[in-house]
Amino acid sequence: MWISKKEILELSQGIQKAIEGECFDPRDEKEGSWSILKNDIYTLMNLEREQRSAAIEEKEHLSEYLSDISHQLKTPVSSILLMTELMEDALEEKQKEFLFCIKKEVRHMEWLVTALLKMAKIDSMNVNFHKDKVQVGELLDHAMESIEIILDIRNQTVKLKEDIQLVCDRKWTTEALINLLKNASECSDENSEILVDSGENPIYCWISVTDQGKGLKKDQIAGLFRRFEGTHKENGYGIGLPLALSIMRAQNGEIEVQSGMEKEGTTFVMKFYK
């Protein structure tokens, strides 16, 4: 096979243009090794372009998460600094009150940073999910270890109606369930019961968490999974539900919101597609 110097030069110039960001398609409909080489070069350039786009997108996501962390930390940091200054001249009883508030703000800051870093890790696909067969009751037992104090303070209980076996990542699904239970606790009155149920159909297995709150209107549901949408909540930073959704989608799952009539509570359904 003979290849002219002109063809080699044209291919070289085209590759240089592609490196500089210009469009270049060296493919042709001919047969032979030279055409195969040009097709392989085109494939390689496309792969490089996709990798570059993915890197830029990941950088933008990281920048967005860092911006969110910075923005959300401003208020608690300012509060801590103010309370620290006031403690110097405060009475002993007031100092104890300030110290309690500072500890509370620090816990919230720790939760916020940890949750955002987890979400960033999941969204950038840097998490390996290991799916195993596990009982819903086992997931709930592990989740309860993290929210027992919250439930005790509000005198709330959690009841599991039906226990089934499903296939999921044990650790991360527990994390998602914790966040749904926290949300249910925040939305429910004191001395109430949170209902957890599970089941399956030909399409998916599911776990549901139903609170005893006032229910949600349709226009409220749309913003539930946007970060910091729920910052008005007393105990939350509006990051728990978005994190739970990221975990489910990373496992090819979904979370559906079923809001009953007013004062009938809201049900969050974790769907694990088969």
Side-chain angles (χ1 to χ4, degrees):
M1 179 187 66
W2 184 82
I3 304 169
S4 69
K5 184 178 179 180
K6 180 182 178 182
E7 287 180 295
I8 296 174
L9 183 60
E10 287 177 351
L11 180 60
S12 176
Q13 291 172 341
I15 292 173
Q16 186 60 43
K17 288 181 180 179
I19 292 173
E20 294 172 356
E22 296 183 34
C23 292
F24 173 60
D25 187 349
R27 295 175 299 176
D28 58 38
E29 297 179 357
K30 299 178 182 179
E31 296 182 356
S33 301
W34 179 243
S35 294
I36 292 173
L37 175 62
K38 290 196 289 185
N39 287 339
D40 288 344
I41 289 173
Y42 177 78
T43 301
L44 186 61
M45 287 191 304
N46 263 357
L47 180 61
E48 190 275 336
R49 191 179 298 115
E50 290 173 2
Q51 290 175 338
R52 187 189 307 168
S53 297
I56 293 172
E57 187 176 347
E58 185 175 342
K59 186 177 180 180
E60 289 174 350
H61 281 160
L62 180 59
S63 176
E64 184 181 346
Y65 280 113
L66 291 175
S67 176
D68 284 337
I69 291 174
S70 175
H71 178 73
Q72 293 297 320
L73 288 181
K74 284 181 181 178
T75 300
V77 167
S78 297
S79 297
I80 290 172
L81 289 173
L82 177 60
M83 285 185 284
T84 302
E85 291 175 1
L86 293 174
M87 279 181 67
E88 294 180 2
D89 302 317
L91 297 174
E92 184 178 349
E93 196 62 35
K94 200 66 178 176
Q95 287 181 343
K96 290 180 180 179
E97 183 182 333
F98 284 143
L99 186 58
F100 174 79
C101 292
I102 289 173
K103 288 180 179 179
K104 183 179 178 181
E105 292 290 356
V106 170
R107 283 196 297 269
H108 279 170
M109 289 166 62
E110 181 185 23
W111 150 246
L112 169 67
V113 173
T114 302
L116 277 171
L117 290 177
K118 285 178 181 177
M119 189 181 295
K121 194 174 181 182
I122 292 170
D123 289 352
S124 62
M125 294 180 288
N126 286 326
V127 176
N128 293 320
F129 286 87
H130 303 285
K131 294 189 176 183
D132 298 307
K133 292 181 179 178
V134 59
Q135 292 292 136
V136 171
E138 182 182 345
L139 295 174
L140 182 58
D141 287 342
H142 288 302
M144 289 290 288
E145 294 174 6
S146 297
I147 63 165
E148 273 184 331
I149 295 177
I150 297 174
L151 296 174
D152 286 342
I153 291 173
R154 299 178 63 83
N155 195 31
Q156 295 169 331
T157 57
V158 175
K159 178 183 177 182
L160 177 60
K161 186 176 179 181
E162 187 73 28
D163 186 10
I164 69 162
Q165 185 182 79
L166 52 80
V167 177
C168 65
D169 183 285
R170 192 185 308 261
K171 173 188 170 184
W172 285 102
T173 303
T174 298
E175 179 74 33
L177 184 57
I178 288 170
N179 286 290
L180 292 186
L181 290 169
K182 280 182 178 178
N183 178 74
S185 174
E186 291 170 7
C187 294
S188 301
D189 295 330
E190 294 184 2
N191 309 308
S192 60
E193 181 180 75
I194 297 167
L195 180 63
V196 178
D197 198 4
S198 62
E200 63 178 313
N201 56 44
I203 302 174
Y204 57 82
C205 297
W206 54 269
I207 304 173
S208 67
V209 178
T210 303
D211 61 47
Q212 297 299 318
K214 297 178 181 178
L216 294 170
K217 297 178 182 177
K218 287 185 178 180
D219 58 340
Q220 292 176 299
I221 294 176
L224 284 175
F225 297 100
R226 288 198 292 264
R227 280 178 291 166
F228 311 118
E229 189 76 11
T231 51
H232 62 279
K233 291 180 183 177
E234 179 184 354
N235 299 314
Y237 274 96
I239 194 69
L241 293 180
L243 174 57
L245 182 61
S246 290
I247 291 170
M248 289 304 298
R249 286 182 173 173
Q251 298 183 85
N252 193 34
E254 191 59 71
I255 296 180
E256 177 185 334
V257 183
Q258 300 172 351
S259 183
M261 301 298 290
E262 194 170 344
K263 296 184 180 180
E264 288 189 10
T266 304
T267 299
F268 289 79
V269 184
M270 303 164 65
K271 295 182 177 180
F272 302 83
Y273 291 102
K274 297 180 179 178

